[in-house]
Amino acid sequence: MTRRARLIAVVATLLCGAIGVISSTQTWLVVVLGDSAGRTLEVPGASAIPVLAPLSLAVLALGGALSIVGSVLRYAFGALTVAIAVLLTWATAQVALAPPVSAVSSTVTEATGITGESAVAGLLDSITSTAWPIVTLVVWILLIGAGVFTLATAHRWRSGGRRYRTEDAPTAAGPAGSRPHDAIDSWDDLSRGEDPTARPLD
């Protein structure tokens, strides 16, 4: 289980983010206007919750980053994942359980040209939810679990990238302290404010 912890956390986070992005393009609400024509409008997730798409993309980025970052950033990204998931859970639950007028106002305004929440509310005959808000709500609950799992297991993950090597670490190129000074070492020197060209040749 310990060896698979990173994989589980990364895949779960990426999957939740991907479903969130897909959900933002799907119809969440169907609005029937109370005018003489009885028009029906479809409200996508991105209109019902404006932050849905950008935060879902952020979750995807966090999932990808979790596969390579060190121990400190694992905790930071895990905490950020939980925070985003809680925010999205709260916003999605409002739309899924009792769709507010604000969730459809932008779509109605675009179709009718009428602005103002009270004015829009007067135009509505009904608001019906599709399955997408509930599906997405479940996804965000799972994302909370993925973030908590990341925080609980991050200290046991194996490093996903190349660790910094000490100057006295023996290598295949020679005895301790005599390895070649490569491009990665030069980059490290520059990061520390040192001039790699001033380093004596081995």
Side-chain angles (χ1 to χ4, degrees), residues 5-140:
R6 180 195 291 270
L7 178 62
I8 292 172
V10 170
V11 170
T13 303
L14 288 173
L15 182 61
C16 290
I19 295 176
V21 172
I22 294 171
S23 176
S24 69
T25 66
Q26 305 302 307
T27 300
W28 277 38
L29 304 169
V30 177
V31 177
V32 177
L33 300 181
D35 55 16
S36 57
R39 285 181 292 174
T40 299
L41 304 176
E42 295 183 348
V43 181
S47 295
I49 304 177
V51 298
L52 178 61
L55 288 184
S56 296
L57 289 172
V59 170
L60 278 174
L62 287 171
L66 278 175
S67 64
I68 58 174
V69 296
S71 58
V72 174
L73 286 180
R74 292 171 200 163
Y75 290 105
F77 288 178
L80 186 56
T81 298
V82 172
I84 292 176
V86 169
L87 174 60
L88 287 171
T89 299
W90 175 77
T92 304
Q94 287 188 312
V95 176
L97 303 179
V101 174
S102 59
V104 303
S105 59
S106 63
T107 301
V108 174
T109 296
E110 183 178 351
T112 65
I114 296 176
T115 61
E117 193 167 311
S118 58
V120 169
L123 292 176
L124 303 180
D125 185 50
S126 66
I127 303 176
T128 305
S129 298
T130 67
W132 275 104
I134 296 296
V135 170
T136 310
L137 179 60
V138 173
V139 168
W140 300 143

Side-chain angles (χ1 to χ4, degrees), residues 107-202:
T107 301
V108 174
T109 296
E110 183 178 351
T112 65
I114 296 176
T115 61
E117 193 167 311
S118 58
V120 169
L123 292 176
L124 303 180
D125 185 50
S126 66
I127 303 176
T128 305
S129 298
T130 67
W132 275 104
I134 296 296
V135 170
T136 310
L137 179 60
V138 173
V139 168
W140 300 143
I141 294 173
L142 293 176
L143 183 61
I144 293 175
V148 171
F149 181 78
T150 297
L151 294 172
T153 63
H155 64 285
R156 298 198 299 266
W157 294 3
R158 296 181 62 185
S159 175
R162 177 175 177 175
R163 292 187 179 277
Y164 289 111
R165 295 178 300 179
T166 58
E167 286 296 318
D168 58 351
T171 67
S178 63
R179 64 182 180 81
H181 193 67
D182 58 21
I184 293 178
D185 295 319
S186 297
W187 179 259
D188 291 342
D189 289 342
L190 287 172
S191 299
R192 292 191 296 267
E194 301 174 4
D195 181 4
T197 63
R199 180 186 178 92
L201 295 176
D202 293 326

